[in-house]
Amino acid sequence: MFLNETQEEVRATTRSFVNAVVRPAAEALDREERFPAEIYEEMGKLGLFGIAVPEELGGPGFDTLTYAVVMEELSRGYASVADQCGLVELITTLLVRHGTPEQQKLLPSIMSMQQKVAYCITEPEAGTDVSGIRTTAVKDGEGWVLNGGKIWIHNAPVADLGFVLARTDKEAGNRGMSIFIVDLHAKGVERGPKEHKMGQRASQVGALDFQDVRLGPNALLGEMNRGFHMMMSVLDKGRVGIASLAVGIAQAGLEAAVEYAGTRKQFGKHISEFQGVQWLLADMAKDIEAARLLVYAAAMKIDHGLDATRSCSMAKCFAGDMAVARTADAVQVFGGSGYIRGFEVERLYRDAKITQIYEGTNQIQRMIIARELLKKGATA
Ligand SMILES: Cc1cc2nc3c(=O)[nH]c(=O)nc-3n(C[C@H](O)[C@H](O)[C@H](O)COP(=O)(O)OP(=O)(O)OC[C@H]3O[C@@H](n4cnc5c(N)ncnc54)[C@H](O)[C@@H]3O)c2cc1C
């Protein structure tokens, strides 16, 4: 449906990899909170990192719809694995759009996961309101000196390269921030302990502290003082990624619920024969399909160069809310078993929650949708 031959092929390849490698590993990865380096190495070989990187820069050059399809399939296996794909996609998109030829030489090692990346925006006083960041980069000779701290950064405990948003002009608000590529093994970089999270527990999240970290002249990504704008410019695509990830989690819940309903017996019948259970399954299926179609529409708008902001926020907000509600339904179909560790739906419910929070909370998505409606009109 809607997908061309290439997109169908990529989906089939990703699905068979996920069924063979990712989904069977998910329960243990969640329990052990382990970074699955071996899975990422294989994904690198399959070309599942840096999906939109153009062929001339060593990538497969796929479009946003293909990216969405890959994210859903990976997340159907395990959301943490999809989240790694989404993170690499954001960073490689920034590098392709704004990197110098020298900086773009980093792409192959990022796409093969030889170098692990981190996207470093959030600080204790600056979550939703990014304009509150206090990390500074001060010019020093040819380079800069970085001071400050970031929290809740995906990959922080394991990353090699940080893409760090820092203030470069204290007086200029959002027009006074820049993005720097930081060697996270450099002198002055400290890592906080790994956070223990509700869900997506194989994703390693933690703090980074920078004390007088010296950055060379090639560390600045793109234009000076344009960091906020650059960061915002990749958010539409990021939201398509998280929306697809949410659809994948809910799809896994639906598959598990349908299978369980067809095997569990009560009152001498399979529970799938009870209308109350059938309606739960039907509502799950229709809302997942609606979210998937919103994701595809948003991705296709990006690919056709159309204004996609409203669609991307609608997809992210709807899919995140849907995933939380419909994985709760999956737990309900399983009854008490759904509440017990080790059953897939229990993990899926926990994994879904963060999709309403990161990449812009769903309150912020609603603000964006309303702003776009009031500015550009309600016509579709
Ligand atoms: C697992 C995980 C991974 C993460 N990964 C990264 C990462 O890799 N890099 C990174 O930089 N950050 C990362 N983050 C941080 C994440 O982006 C922030 O948590 C998120 O932006 C929200 O910020 P906050 O937590 O400070 O909440 P706050 O901004 O304090 O918001 C608290 C509540 O207030 C609401 N709110 C705030 N402002 C408004 C408003 N104007 N109108 C209505 N409601 C509002 C929010 O929606 C929310 O419900 C991660 C967080 C987690 C938990």
Side-chain angles (χ1 to χ4, degrees):
M1 182 177 57
F2 305 117
L3 302 182
N4 64 29
E5 210 175 309
T6 312
Q7 288 155 348
E8 287 288 3
E9 259 174 45
V10 174
R11 175 157 76 174
T13 309
T14 312
R15 184 171 289 180
S16 65
F17 170 71
V18 163
N19 288 344
V21 176
V22 181
R23 205 162 179 177
E27 194 265 327
L29 289 173
D30 172 69
R31 183 166 22 86
E32 296 161 9
E33 300 188 356
R34 186 173 68 76
F35 183 82
E38 70 290 356
I39 291 182
Y40 297 147
E41 201 184 315
E42 280 193 58
M43 283 169 63
K45 286 182 191 151
L46 282 173
L48 294 175
F49 288 121
I51 284 161
V53 173
E55 286 177 56
E56 60 272 23
L57 291 175
F62 290 136
D63 57 13
T64 314
L65 184 53
T66 312
Y67 167 57
V69 166
V70 167
M71 284 291 281
E72 181 187 332
E73 289 303 323
L74 290 173
S75 183
R76 215 183 111 260
Y78 187 23
S80 274
V81 168
D83 207 23
Q84 188 71 230
C85 176
L87 172 58
V88 173
E89 194 66 23
L90 270 190
I91 297 289
T92 53
T93 303
L94 276 174
L95 270 174
V96 168
R97 287 189 194 166
H98 304 287
T100 60
E102 193 58 31
Q103 290 168 338
Q104 288 174 346
K105 287 185 186 156
L106 292 167
L107 284 166
S109 65
I110 292 174
M111 289 188 286
S112 64
M113 284 293 277
Q114 279 168 298
Q115 297 222 73
K116 297 175 274 302
V117 290
Y119 194 46
C120 312
I121 314 285
T122 304
E123 300 183 7
E125 306 301 326
T128 300
D129 182 10
V130 175
S131 66
I133 64 160
R134 292 180 182 172
T135 296
T136 56
V138 175
K139 196 88 181 98
D140 182 58
E142 294 284 283
W144 288 267
V145 177
L146 183 71
N147 275 289
K150 302 286 178 182
I151 57 167
W152 301 335
I153 303 303
H154 187 186
N155 274 357
V158 293
D160 303 292
L161 288 175
F163 286 67
V164 179
L165 188 71
R167 193 158 282 293
T168 34
D169 182 342
K170 280 190 182 161
E171 313 302 323
N174 291 345
R175 292 172 189 274
M177 301 180 201
S178 308
I179 299 179
F180 293 92
I181 307 175
V182 180
D183 172 5
L184 296 179
H185 304 290
K187 191 163 168 259
V189 179
E190 292 278 337
R191 295 168 204 251
K194 176 168 97 176
E195 302 286 356
H196 300 288
K197 309 188 303 312
M198 175 193 289
Q200 300 194 16
R201 282 152 52 95
S203 304
Q204 315 289 302
V205 169
L208 289 167
D209 197 50
F210 308 109
Q211 282 198 23
D212 291 330
V213 179
R214 303 201 76 80
L215 307 176
N218 290 330
L220 177 70
L221 181 71
E223 265 180 71
M224 183 84 162
N225 292 328
R226 294 280 292 163
F228 183 82
H229 174 81
M230 284 156 57
M231 191 194 73
M232 289 293 162
S233 73
V234 294
L235 277 187
D236 276 355
K237 185 172 178 186
R239 286 169 184 155
V240 167
I242 298 304
S244 319
L245 180 151
V247 171
I249 296 173
Q251 176 66 32
L254 175 65
E255 289 169 16
V258 167
E259 193 184 326
Y260 188 78
T263 53
R264 173 73 175 164
K265 281 188 170 172
Q266 287 293 282
F267 300 98
K269 292 177 175 176
H270 289 123
I271 60 169
S272 58
E273 293 178 55
F274 301 127
Q275 194 179 49
V277 172
Q278 289 174 359
W279 285 12
L280 277 174
L281 298 175
D283 279 344
M284 288 170 76
K286 82 174 162 43
D287 287 1
I288 291 167
E289 188 70 4
R292 183 179 291 118
L293 292 177
L294 273 179
V295 172
Y296 284 9
M300 285 192 278
K301 278 192 181 177
I302 294 179
D303 289 335
H304 286 88
L306 301 170
D307 178 1
T309 300
R310 184 181 356 173
S311 293
C312 293
S313 284
M314 290 197 310
K316 195 273 179 184
C317 188
F318 185 85
D321 289 351
M322 178 281 295
V324 172
R326 296 311 170 204
T327 52
D329 288 344
V331 169
Q332 196 67 22
V333 170
F334 273 69
S337 304
Y339 200 68
I340 303 292
R341 283 275 155 108
F343 281 86
E344 189 182 24
V345 292
E346 183 270 343
R347 173 178 56 76
L348 295 170
Y349 187 36
R350 288 185 285 107
D351 286 345
K353 180 60 197 171
I354 190 67
T355 65
Q356 293 177 306
I357 297 173
Y358 59 17
E359 211 75 27
T361 67
N362 278 5
Q363 282 75 34
I364 296 308
Q365 305 310 324
R366 287 179 169 87
M367 271 173 53
I368 295 169
I369 296 163
R371 186 193 66 203
E372 293 280 307
L373 277 174
L374 297 171
K375 198 165 73 180
K376 298 174 186 165
T379 312

